[in-house]
């Protein structure tokens, strides 16, 4: 029976006209692939949208949390400042001594019981501490208030917006209790609500740290408080990009911040949302009020805070549904217009291929900003889409290579800065040892002091940045140390305008040149060698002339030295003065560009002039008169 039915269908199809057969075959061939492609594209696009949203949102969260972590680290560094400000510690000790005496004497501490001397003392303490607090509070943008308490809970504070806690006494007791077992490390407290002296309710998170004296005895407490408004802009930007709502919670489930500001400083540890947030990052779906949501979360390993973004699935799939409807409409249109499309298909296919070939020729010529306009979802459309993706990938790879080269350049700069020849240090230390043994006087101590200054200057601040004034001071110390080793053999003259004192410069650019002159240009027939540094200001750059009246060099040696300086290869420990001069040349070019560096002029028997060219910065940066 079934076989007869199939045979009947084939008979009906066989009796059709060729036009209908071709139309039927064409419609089947067009309908089935397009339907499959539409469904597959819709499903893949849906999964891609969700996957990309999760990956992109996690990246945005990580970027935001990096900023929050940096901000909190800055707050922690601010909280450590009293340990380095003797004025604050001395005034806290004075405050503690005063209140301790009052406690022993059993006297009142109210303002009515204060004698004029007590009032002056307390006023001096208050001004001394709060003056420093105002300075601390201005260091970090967004720090709302800074509070410092002595050991008896007496508070000193300064607030940028004038809002100060009214519950200082209760807050101090809470902070003091929480930091009781700490050894001076900074503790982070999540968002808390408080009433300010402006009679408004505010929310802030706080970094608290003990203040200790030189013997590590606690003498007070500092609290650096930041208003949640510091998080507001970042969360708004995050919500704007993701079209969702954000929630920041700590590890105990206390809300640090939420987009609607309805859950601030509340405990959500018992909520299903918080219970499902496990691990550092992840995502899950849930349903709230009948609406499905995609929840994406990621956390910080420094603060243990987590950011949860809840995106409605309807919003997430809005573009996907539009794509589905567009695909269905396109499929139906193609089926209806199948015969017309079959006629013009060859022409359209040839035209598309021609356009792509033209675009490929442009790419071959170096133009990577072209884009193939994908008009259809056929093979040409897919090829064009892949072509566009390939170009996007190439542009991304070029950017990655550029970024890697920049990092390589920076690494090379740091490597060059570390190429400091220790030979001078070893010789100087030997001279100090011999001087100490022979003279038994303070001269060795002076040499050690100067050498200490040189070592501190050359090893501090790994970025290698300093000011011209400090760099020239380093050169003076170096020449002074040379004169200890070779008594009164060197006379240094520096003629640089005071207006260039704050000119930013990389470290150790003059000293290697002076060292090269002292060790390779010293004329033993002269009782004293004159060294000078003079600045010439041109319209485009600063020219520093580092001159000496030593033995100089002949033309062949000079040419070899200048050729070596112009060579881009890394410095080698070989030719005369090689590593010092070469090191300076390499660092200057890496930092300021190939247009700047060293040029050496010399005559045998008449000394050497090394010209160091540096960029002329804007007047407001270096303090030059207009």
């Amino acid at each position: 029976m079934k076989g007869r039915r199939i045979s009947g269908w084939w008979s009906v199809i066989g009796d059709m006209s060729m036009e209908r057969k071709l139309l039927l075959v064409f419609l089947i061939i067009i309908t089935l692939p397009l339907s499959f492609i539409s469904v597959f594209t819709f499903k893949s696009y849906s999964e891609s949208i969700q996957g990309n949203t999760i990956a992109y949102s996690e990246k945005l969260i990580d970027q935001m949390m990096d900023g929050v972590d940096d901000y909190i680290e800055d707050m922690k560094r601010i909280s450590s400042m009293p340990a380095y400000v003797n004025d604050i510690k001395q005034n806290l000790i004075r405050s503690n001594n005063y209140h301790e005496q009052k406690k022993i004497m059993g006297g009142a501490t109210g303002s009515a019981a204060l004698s004029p001397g007590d009032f002056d003392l307390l006023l001096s303490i208050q001004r001394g501490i709060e003056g420093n607090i105002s300075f601390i509070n201005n260091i970090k943008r967004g720090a709302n208030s800074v509070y410092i308490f002595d050991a008896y809970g007496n508070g000193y504070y300064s607030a940028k917006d004038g809002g100060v806690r009214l519950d200082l006494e209760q807050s101090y007791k809470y902070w003091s209790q929480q930091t009781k077992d700490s050894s001076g490390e900074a503790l982070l407290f999540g968002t808390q609500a408080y009433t300010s002296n402006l009679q408004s309710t505010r929310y802030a998170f706080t970094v608290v740290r003990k203040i200790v004296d030189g013997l590590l005895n606690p003498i007070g407490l500092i609290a650096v408080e930041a208003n949640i408004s510091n998080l507001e802009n970042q969360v708004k930007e995050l919500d704007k990009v993701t079209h969702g709502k954000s929630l920041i919670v700590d590890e105990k489930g206390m809300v640090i911040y939420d987009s609607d500001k309805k859950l601030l400083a509340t405990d959500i540890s018992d909520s299903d949302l918080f219970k499902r947030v496990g691990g550092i990052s992840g995502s899950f779906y849930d349903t709230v009020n009948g609406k499905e949501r995609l929840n994406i979360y990621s956390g910080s390993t420094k603060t243990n805070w987590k950011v949860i973004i809840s995106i409605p699935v309807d919003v997430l799939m809005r573009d996907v549904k539009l794509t589905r409807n567009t695909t269905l409409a396109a499929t139906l249109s193609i089926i209806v217009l199948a015969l017309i499309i079959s006629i013009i298909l060859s022409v359209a296919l040839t035209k598309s291929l021609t356009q792509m070939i033209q675009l490929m020729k442009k790419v071959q010529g170096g133009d990577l900003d072209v884009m193939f306009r994908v008009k259809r979802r056929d093979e040409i459309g897919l090829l064009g889409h892949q072509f566009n993706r390939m170009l996007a990938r190439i542009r991304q790879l070029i950017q990655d290579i550029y970024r890697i080269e920049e990092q390589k350049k920076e690494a090379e700069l740091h490597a060059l800065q570390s190429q400091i020849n220790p030979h001078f240090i070893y010789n100087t230390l030997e001279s100090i040892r011999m001087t100490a043994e022979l003279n038994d006087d303070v001269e060795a101590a002076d040499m050690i002091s100067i050498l200490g200054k040189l070592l501190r200057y050359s090893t501090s601040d790994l970025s290698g940045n300093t000011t011209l004034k400090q760099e020239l001071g380093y050169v003076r110390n170096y020449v002074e140390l040379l004169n200890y080793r070779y008594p009164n053999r060197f006379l240094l003259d520096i003629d640089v305008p005071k207006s260039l004192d704050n000119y930013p410069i990389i470290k150790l650019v003059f000293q290697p040149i002076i060292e090269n002159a002292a060790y390779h240009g010293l004329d033993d027939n002269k009782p004293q060698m004159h060294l000078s540094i003079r600045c010439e200001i041109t319209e485009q750059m600063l020219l520093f002339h580092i001159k000496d009246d030593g033995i100089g060099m002949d033309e062949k040696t000079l040419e070899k030295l200048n050729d070596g300086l112009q060579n881009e290869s890394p410095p080698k420990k070989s030719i005369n003065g090689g590593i010092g001069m070469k090191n300076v040349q390499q660092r200057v070019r890496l930092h300021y560009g190939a247009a700047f560096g060293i040029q050496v002029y010399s005559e045998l028997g008449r000394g050497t002039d090394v010209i160091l060219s540096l960029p002329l910065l804007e007047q407001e940066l270096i303090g030059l008169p207009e």
Side-chain angles (χ1 to χ4, degrees), residues 190-210:
T191 300
Q192 294 177 325
Y194 69 90
T195 302
S196 72
N197 59 352
L198 301 178
Q199 299 303 319
S200 61
T201 300
R202 302 193 177 192
Y203 299 87
F205 53 93
T206 314
V207 170
V208 180
R209 186 195 296 266
K210 281 183 179 180

Side-chain angles (χ1 to χ4, degrees), residues 151-375:
Y152 291 88
N154 297 286
Y156 306 90
Y157 51 81
S158 174
K160 285 186 177 180
D161 57 358
V164 181
R165 286 176 175 264
L166 290 181
D167 60 341
L168 273 182
E169 184 176 352
Q170 293 81 358
S171 298
Y172 170 75
K173 290 180 180 178
Y174 174 73
W175 292 333
S176 179
Q177 179 66 25
Q178 295 298 318
T179 59
K180 179 179 61 177
D181 297 328
S182 69
S183 58
E185 69 272 17
L187 301 181
L188 174 63
F189 296 88
T191 300
Q192 294 177 325
Y194 69 90
T195 302
S196 72
N197 59 352
L198 301 178
Q199 299 303 319
S200 61
T201 300
R202 302 193 177 192
Y203 299 87
F205 53 93
T206 314
V207 170
V208 180
R209 186 195 296 266
K210 281 183 179 180
I211 301 175
V212 297
D213 59 13
L215 299 177
L216 301 181
N217 297 317
I219 59 175
L221 190 73
I222 181 172
V224 181
E225 189 173 77
N227 195 283
I228 59 167
S229 61
N230 295 300
L231 301 174
E232 187 172 2
N233 292 334
Q234 299 184 59
V235 173
K236 282 184 177 179
E237 187 67 23
L238 187 62
D239 292 346
K240 181 180 179 181
V241 175
T242 61
H243 304 289
K245 298 291 183 180
S246 298
L247 181 70
I248 303 177
V249 296
D250 63 16
E251 58 185 344
K252 297 180 181 179
M254 296 298 296
V255 176
I256 305 299
Y257 187 85
D258 71 298
S259 298
D260 296 327
K261 297 182 181 179
K262 296 179 180 179
L263 301 175
L264 290 173
T266 60
D267 186 357
I268 63 167
S269 58
D270 294 330
S271 66
D272 292 334
L273 178 65
F274 181 78
K275 291 178 180 179
R276 296 185 66 179
V277 176
I280 298 298
S281 61
S283 62
F284 59 90
Y285 289 88
D286 67 353
T287 302
V288 177
N289 297 328
K291 294 185 177 181
E292 188 178 15
R293 303 184 308 178
L294 170 61
N295 300 287
I296 306 168
Y297 64 91
S298 183
S300 167
T301 56
K302 294 182 179 180
T303 62
N304 292 323
W305 290 0
K306 291 184 178 178
V307 179
I308 308 171
I309 302 177
S310 298
I311 306 173
V313 175
D314 290 339
V315 175
L316 181 65
M317 303 298 290
R318 184 183 301 159
D319 294 336
V320 177
K321 292 180 179 179
L322 179 61
T323 302
R324 178 196 61 189
N325 297 334
T326 303
T327 304
L328 290 176
T331 302
L332 293 176
S333 300
I334 291 173
I335 294 174
V336 173
L337 301 175
L339 292 176
I340 300 175
I341 294 175
S342 64
I343 297 175
I344 63 174
L345 184 60
S346 59
V347 177
L349 181 60
T350 304
K351 183 179 180 181
S352 299
L353 288 175
T354 302
Q355 291 176 351
M356 185 170 292
I357 291 173
Q358 292 176 350
L359 293 178
M360 288 182 176
K361 289 182 178 179
K362 290 184 178 181
V363 173
Q364 185 178 2
D367 185 7
L368 299 179
D369 293 327
V370 300
M371 177 176 290
F372 182 83
R373 296 183 61 186
V374 180
K375 299 179 180 180

Side-chain angles (χ1 to χ4, degrees), residues 323-601:
T323 302
R324 178 196 61 189
N325 297 334
T326 303
T327 304
L328 290 176
T331 302
L332 293 176
S333 300
I334 291 173
I335 294 174
V336 173
L337 301 175
L339 292 176
I340 300 175
I341 294 175
S342 64
I343 297 175
I344 63 174
L345 184 60
S346 59
V347 177
L349 181 60
T350 304
K351 183 179 180 181
S352 299
L353 288 175
T354 302
Q355 291 176 351
M356 185 170 292
I357 291 173
Q358 292 176 350
L359 293 178
M360 288 182 176
K361 289 182 178 179
K362 290 184 178 181
V363 173
Q364 185 178 2
D367 185 7
L368 299 179
D369 293 327
V370 300
M371 177 176 290
F372 182 83
R373 296 183 61 186
V374 180
K375 299 179 180 180
R376 302 179 183 87
R377 294 185 176 274
D378 56 0
E379 290 79 3
I380 298 299
L382 293 175
L383 182 60
H385 181 66
Q386 294 299 324
F387 177 77
N388 293 336
R389 290 185 61 185
M390 179 189 68
L391 289 181
R393 181 58 178 164
I394 291 175
R395 289 193 292 268
Q396 181 63 40
L397 288 174
I398 291 175
Q399 293 178 358
D400 291 343
I401 292 173
Y402 177 80
R403 176 178 53 81
I404 292 172
E405 288 298 321
E406 286 294 320
Q407 293 175 350
K408 181 180 178 181
K409 182 178 180 181
E410 182 178 354
E412 185 179 3
L413 174 61
H414 286 296
L416 287 172
Q417 288 177 335
S418 67
Q419 292 181 341
I420 303 301
N421 190 348
H423 185 68
F424 169 75
I425 297 178
Y426 299 152
N427 289 341
T428 305
L429 290 175
E430 179 65 17
S431 299
I432 293 173
R433 184 187 68 79
M434 295 177 63
T435 301
E437 290 181 357
L438 295 175
N439 297 336
D440 193 20
D441 57 14
V442 297
E443 184 177 2
D446 292 338
M447 295 175 71
I448 293 173
S449 175
I450 296 173
L451 182 59
K453 293 178 182 179
L454 297 180
L455 291 176
R456 282 194 298 271
Y457 180 87
S458 61
T459 58
S460 64
D461 188 10
L462 296 178
S463 65
N465 295 321
T466 185
T467 63
L468 183 60
K469 181 179 180 180
Q470 292 174 328
E471 177 69 5
L472 293 176
Y474 179 82
V475 173
R476 290 189 180 95
N477 287 332
Y478 174 78
V479 174
E480 185 177 354
L481 198 59
L482 276 178
N483 281 323
Y484 274 109
R485 184 178 179 189
Y486 306 100
N488 299 322
R489 288 298 304 274
F490 302 95
L491 180 61
L492 176 64
D493 180 31
I494 298 178
D495 182 15
V496 176
K498 289 290 185 180
S499 56
L500 294 176
D501 282 351
N502 295 324
Y503 178 89
I505 190 173
I506 59 176
K507 284 187 175 182
L508 300 177
V509 294
F510 294 107
Q511 183 271 337
I513 301 175
I514 294 293
E515 180 182 3
N516 187 73
Y519 282 97
H520 300 286
L522 183 62
D523 190 350
D524 293 331
N525 295 324
K526 295 182 180 180
Q528 195 172 51
M529 183 178 192
H530 291 80
L531 303 169
S532 66
I533 300 176
R534 181 176 60 85
C535 178
E536 177 184 356
I537 303 176
T538 67
E539 293 181 358
Q540 293 83 18
M541 62 182 66
L542 297 177
L543 299 178
F544 292 91
H545 295 263
I546 302 96
K547 293 185 177 181
D548 67 76
D549 59 353
I551 60 175
M553 61 188 78
D554 55 32
E555 291 183 2
K556 183 178 180 180
T557 303
L558 178 62
E559 182 180 357
K560 182 179 180 181
L561 176 59
N562 281 321
D563 289 343
L565 292 175
Q566 299 303 320
N567 187 5
E568 293 295 335
S569 61
K572 300 179 180 179
K573 299 181 179 180
S574 58
I575 63 172
N576 293 339
I579 185 168
M581 301 278 282
K582 188 74 171 182
N583 181 272
V584 174
Q585 178 80 329
Q586 291 283 344
R587 290 190 292 118
V588 168
R589 286 191 169 183
L590 285 175
H591 194 84
Y592 299 107
F596 305 97
I598 293 175
Q599 185 68 30
V600 183
Y601 300 90

